[in-house]
Amino acid sequence: MTTQAVTDLIARSNRLGADPQNTNYAGGNTSAKGSETDPVTGEPVELMWVKGSGGDLGTLTESGLAVLRLDRLRALVDVYPGVDREDEMVAAFDYCLHGKGGAAPSIDTAMHGLVDAAHVDHLHPDSGIAFATAKDGAKLTKKAFGGKVVWVPWRRPGFQLGLDIAAIKAKNPEAIGCILGGHGITAWGATSEEAETNSLWIIETAQAYLDANGKKEPFGKERKKFTPLPDDERRAKAAALAPTIRSIASHDKPMVGHYNDDPRVLEFLASANAPKLAALGTSCPDHFLRTKVKPMLLDLPSDASVEKSIERLAELHEAYRADYTAYYEKHASTGSATEPDSPAIRGADPLIVLVPGVGMFSFGANKQTARVAGEFYLNAINVMRGAESISTYTPISDAEKFRIEYWALEEAKLQRMPKPKTHAGRIALVTGAASGIGKAIATRLAGEGACVVVADLDLEKAQAAAAELGGTDVAIGIAANVADAAAVQRAIDDAVLAFGGLDLVVNNAGLSLSKPLLETTEADWDLQHDVMAKGSFLVSKAAARALIDQKLGGDIVYISSKNSVFAGPNNIAYSATKADQAHQVRLLAVELGEHGVRVNGINPDGVVRGSGIFASGWGANRAKTYGVDEQDLGKFYAQRTILKREVLPESVANAVIALTGPELQLTTGLHIPVDSGVAAAFLR
């Protein structure tokens, strides 16, 4: 049965975590202490419930709590081997757990368990970190908070920090919390309500002090040539640069991206002090673990051409990699009695790329990680603004940043992550994806870890289909008339701005009119060729530009048809345009191969169930042609095949996964029949 202490803790955590003014995503932790009956002895046992490793306060549930016996946790003080070996204490927390299940205890467990207070909050508010990173933070803390909040000099999170805060609380009975140098805040209370009130008081008091005492231009004067571009121009330049910037972030490992043109980002980039402050990097451990120690900043004015910007970005990337490698080599340990070998370098590419007048590009292994990295750097901008407004922004040293970035505990956490799915980190655009084959392909790609752009003529249906796949970190729906070159370019721009780039394109949009030659009009012919032959050409051409600029290879898949090689009755326009698509596969495979782009095709047949084409009249016409009831058309197609099995949209989706997955990396220019076996359509 859930205790009141846990109920109150979850409610408090969710309230605090829901407001970004209080803490960043997945940042900070909360705890509550209380009593339960030990099921073994039947006697009361004192417990602590604390947010576990990797959880998020805003969405915390009971399963995200670690539950520890306080007597055993506090007894660890007697066996603590000292700060040089404090990492060993994390493993010791496992021996303090009460019962089974629950989350793994985090590095901050000691901060909660050793402090003599029933309820403790540790948070990363921008206003609090502004004090924590100010050059004279200790003096400012005393000035702003009096004796109610105590300054704690920087110390890496761990057991010793828990001891330090416990000692400070014992020596300062009037204090309600601490400013943790370079890091964040900690507050406590006798009740859950009191702890929350104290946390919010520290955050609000810090912000009020900044508002009342901060100088008007904390980032310095505005640089006129670095001000934001107009909205349309800014978006167009962002889309033009995105593939190149993704190639920079993905030199060592493919990354997914996120674009952010928040006014606070643009204001920072236009300021005189932006280059100096960006070079100092972030300070809060949660920030730089997501953003790397510092961003890469393009040092050109807003109106610099795309071509000149790309040229300069390449130069800056080379310098960034050299600088990061030097940082790693300077601080990496080669092993000693107290300091084991540092983990191998995790890549030297930036995770944050800043472009004046345009905005911020952030990167991660998936869209959520990329988006959160951008949110964290925005937190860092807010922190720098606050610290510079009342003092001088002074983050922790690079040596300390390295100790956390390449912490053995952080490395162990990374090693525990599950193996990524086959299409994780890939960005796919599927045309005609609101229904039928396209929707099945989009669904399967998302299921295999890809970010998916659902493109369809009907925006509302595209958005609905995307919503079924998950939130916008998984899929977005966009309108796209593939027969319109401008609309196609907008769709590609939408894709690269949503996810940072593009890896995989499926030309699936199509329609069909079943008519004999003498009844096929010129309009019938033009419509089908515009959507499928011309449409595929336009999509492939626009996508190829992005794929080439990205320098990551990629895949283009054409959903052609058995009719591209089979001469069936009464479908001259449809079959001719499918033959056109089929040969585009061969032509583009040859042309794009030098860029690592593979182009392949799939030839389905008889996909009746769930098909938008069949539902729009094509099914009725084909049924009439073959002299069967429309409801039996799928069975009819199946019976004329070698395998006697009906082809479903999912059958085609499976072929797309096979063609674009890791097993067929050396295959291009291939057409795969997905027709249950039609001998007359065998490829020769």
Side-chain angles (χ1 to χ4, degrees), residues 176-489:
I176 64 168
C178 301
I179 297 288
L180 308 181
H183 187 167
I185 73 167
T186 296
W188 47 76
T191 66
S192 184
E193 181 181 11
E194 184 178 275
E196 183 175 1
T197 297
N198 289 342
S199 292
L200 294 176
W201 184 85
I202 295 173
I203 294 167
E204 291 162 1
T205 301
Q207 188 60 57
Y209 186 90
L210 296 173
D211 293 341
N213 299 281
K215 56 189 177 186
K216 291 183 178 179
E217 294 182 323
F219 294 145
K221 297 291 185 181
E222 180 182 79
R223 297 180 292 172
K224 297 299 183 184
K225 291 186 177 182
F226 291 78
T227 55
L229 295 170
D231 290 354
D232 290 346
E233 192 176 339
R234 184 167 71 246
R235 178 182 171 82
K237 188 172 182 181
L241 292 176
T244 295
I245 293 175
R246 187 182 182 218
S247 75
I248 286 170
S250 302
H251 182 275
D252 291 323
K253 179 182 178 182
M255 292 283 179
V256 175
H258 178 73
Y259 169 63
N260 186 330
D261 60 350
D262 186 288
R264 292 167 292 181
V265 174
L266 296 170
E267 175 203 7
F268 173 68
L269 296 179
S271 70
N273 293 339
K276 177 189 72 174
L277 292 170
L280 291 174
T282 54
S283 184
C284 176
D286 268 34
H287 293 179
F288 62 75
L289 282 174
R290 302 275 191 151
T291 66
K292 258 195 168 73
V293 289
K294 61 183 177 181
M296 190 177 102
L297 171 64
L298 179 62
D299 53 0
L300 295 178
S302 304
D303 62 356
S305 69
V306 170
E307 293 74 21
K308 188 173 182 180
S309 297
I310 288 174
E311 180 182 347
R312 183 58 179 151
L313 283 166
E315 295 170 350
L316 291 170
H317 182 216
E318 185 176 348
Y320 187 98
R321 288 180 60 82
D323 183 65
Y324 186 85
T325 301
Y327 154 81
Y328 175 85
E329 292 175 347
K330 179 179 179 179
H331 299 294
S333 170
T334 55
S336 67
T338 59
E339 193 77 20
D341 286 351
S342 296
I345 190 170
R346 298 194 195 104
D349 300 320
L351 294 179
I352 303 291
V353 178
L354 303 171
V355 181
V358 175
M360 169 173 59
F361 297 82
S362 54
F363 295 89
N366 52 54
K367 171 66 176 186
Q368 184 196 47
T369 305
R371 174 177 54 77
V372 169
E375 292 173 0
F376 277 32
Y377 197 76
L378 180 54
N379 288 136
I381 289 173
N382 293 336
V383 166
M384 289 186 280
R385 178 186 290 105
E388 286 285 300
S389 74
I390 56 172
S391 179
T392 301
Y393 174 65
T394 310
I396 62 175
S397 69
D398 281 357
E400 286 299 303
K401 290 178 184 178
F402 184 88
R403 289 184 69 210
I404 291 178
E405 186 180 1
Y406 285 91
W407 206 349
L409 297 175
E410 185 66 24
E411 181 68 14
K413 185 190 298 184
L414 293 173
Q415 294 300 323
R416 289 195 301 268
M417 293 181 69
K419 182 180 178 181
K421 295 181 179 179
T422 60
H423 287 62
R426 304 203 75 195
I427 301 158
L429 182 145
V430 184
T431 65
S435 63
I437 292 173
K439 186 175 182 180
I441 293 169
T443 301
R444 186 69 201 280
L445 285 167
E448 292 297 336
C451 298
V452 181
V453 179
V454 176
D456 201 90
L457 196 59
D458 189 317
L459 175 59
E460 187 174 334
K461 290 182 179 178
Q463 292 175 333
E468 291 180 26
L469 303 182
T472 53
D473 286 343
V474 176
I476 63 166
I478 63 171
N481 178 0
V482 297
D484 182 328
V488 167
Q489 188 59 55

